[in-house]
């Protein structure tokens, strides 16, 4: 059986990872303006996220605008937004399933083998959610890199990685570790005997083997 402490550790890491995914999805700093070239203007910093774009001024003021239409967004942004939402929902469902299978909870009955299998199933679901987040962040990062090194991209519209994408990556990593620990909760199957075992009696002790003249 899996150790109850390891199950709690895996659940806590997966929960922290899901919080990181939620925070990273909401934050608008998925990419920020890159200051490259000869003419550098640092009065205004531009940020773009999954839901809005923001302009941060040197005075400390920030103005954000929500995207008007989803059809105007590029395919990478639409895919990243969808995958991050799916990742959060799947991870949350996996946490619920894993919670029912943990040893420290009373949900799911008293069968320890079945509870361990339930925790393992929850860990697998969490890993699927983490995989969606990793694909989303990597897809969005690849789009940033391609646009940055594209020679036809104007210098003042080049972007680099923002803090939100690193938070989302860290959340996905914690979710993978937590889900992996929970997925290792599968109990070891014990070999069943092929049939009932009976004591073998010694025929000499029963007196059945006697010499007759």
């Amino acid at each position: 059986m899996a150790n109850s402490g390891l199950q709690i550790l895996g659940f806590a890491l997966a929960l922290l990872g899901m919080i990181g995914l939620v925070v990273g999805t909401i934050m608008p700093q998925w990419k920020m303006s890159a200051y490259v070239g000869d003419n550098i203007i640092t009065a205004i910093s531009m940020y773009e996220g999954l839901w809005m774009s923001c302009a941060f001024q040197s005075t400390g003021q920030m103005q954000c605008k929500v995207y008007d239409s989803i059809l105007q967004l590029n395919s990478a942004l639409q895919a990243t937004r969808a995958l991050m939402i799916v990742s959060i929902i799947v991870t949350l469902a996996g946490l619920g399933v894993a919670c029912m299978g943990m040893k420290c909870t009373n949900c799911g009955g008293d069968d320890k083998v079945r509870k361990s299998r339930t925790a393992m199933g929850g860990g697998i679901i969490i890993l699927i959610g983490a995989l969606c987040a990793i694909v989303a962040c990597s897809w969005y990062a690849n789009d940033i890199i391609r646009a940055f090194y594209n020679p036809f991209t104007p210098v003042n519209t080049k972007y680099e990685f923002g803090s939100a994408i690193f938070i989302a990556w860290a959340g996905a990593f914690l979710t993978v570790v937590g889900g992996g620990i929970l997925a290792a909760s599968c109990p070891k199957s014990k070999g069943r005997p092929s049939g009932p075992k009976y004591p073998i009696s010694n025929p000499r002790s029963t007196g059945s083997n006697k010499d007759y003249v």
Side-chain angles (χ1 to χ4, degrees):
M1 294 292 179
N3 190 2
S4 178
L6 288 178
Q7 288 184 342
I8 296 175
L9 176 62
F11 185 86
L13 291 176
L15 182 60
L16 290 176
M18 194 199 69
I19 295 175
L21 294 177
V22 173
V23 172
T25 303
I26 296 175
M27 290 179 61
Q29 290 90 357
W30 275 71
K31 61 181 180 179
M32 56 182 297
S33 55
Y35 301 107
V36 294
D38 298 330
N39 298 326
I40 300 178
I41 302 176
T42 59
I44 299 177
S45 300
M46 301 298 299
Y47 297 96
E48 287 189 9
L50 302 182
W51 313 99
M52 64 186 71
S53 59
C54 299
F56 184 79
Q57 300 180 1
S58 58
T59 57
Q61 298 179 352
M62 177 180 289
Q63 297 178 351
C64 297
K65 180 182 179 183
V66 181
Y67 297 132
D68 297 329
S69 175
I70 190 175
L71 300 178
Q72 296 179 353
L73 305 177
N74 55 22
S75 59
L77 182 55
Q78 294 181 12
T80 303
R81 179 189 289 188
L83 285 173
M84 291 301 295
I85 294 176
V86 171
S87 173
I88 293 172
I89 295 175
V90 172
T91 304
L92 183 61
L95 287 173
V97 174
C99 183
M100 292 188 297
M102 295 176 62
K103 290 183 178 181
C104 59
T105 60
N106 296 325
C107 303
D110 297 330
D111 191 353
K112 295 182 179 180
V113 176
R114 185 168 61 181
K115 285 177 68 69
S116 297
R117 291 176 178 174
T118 303
M120 181 192 67
I124 294 174
I125 296 174
I126 292 172
L127 289 176
I128 295 174
L131 179 62
C132 293
I134 292 174
V135 172
C137 295
S138 301
W139 194 339
Y140 196 86
N142 180 63
D143 186 71
I144 296 175
I145 295 173
R146 290 178 59 185
F148 185 86
Y149 289 106
N150 189 356
F152 299 101
T153 303
V155 176
N156 56 351
T157 59
K158 289 181 180 292
Y159 289 88
E160 58 185 1
F161 297 154
S163 57
I165 193 170
F166 293 107
I167 294 176
W169 260 326
F173 175 75
L174 291 176
T175 308
V176 167
V177 176
I181 295 176
L182 291 172
S185 301
C186 180
K188 296 182 179 179
S189 59
K190 299 181 179 179
R192 296 182 179 180
S194 58
K197 295 182 179 179
Y198 300 98
I200 301 175
S201 59
N202 190 357
R204 295 181 180 226
S205 63
T206 59
S208 59
N209 189 9
K210 293 182 179 181
D211 294 331
Y212 294 91
V213 179

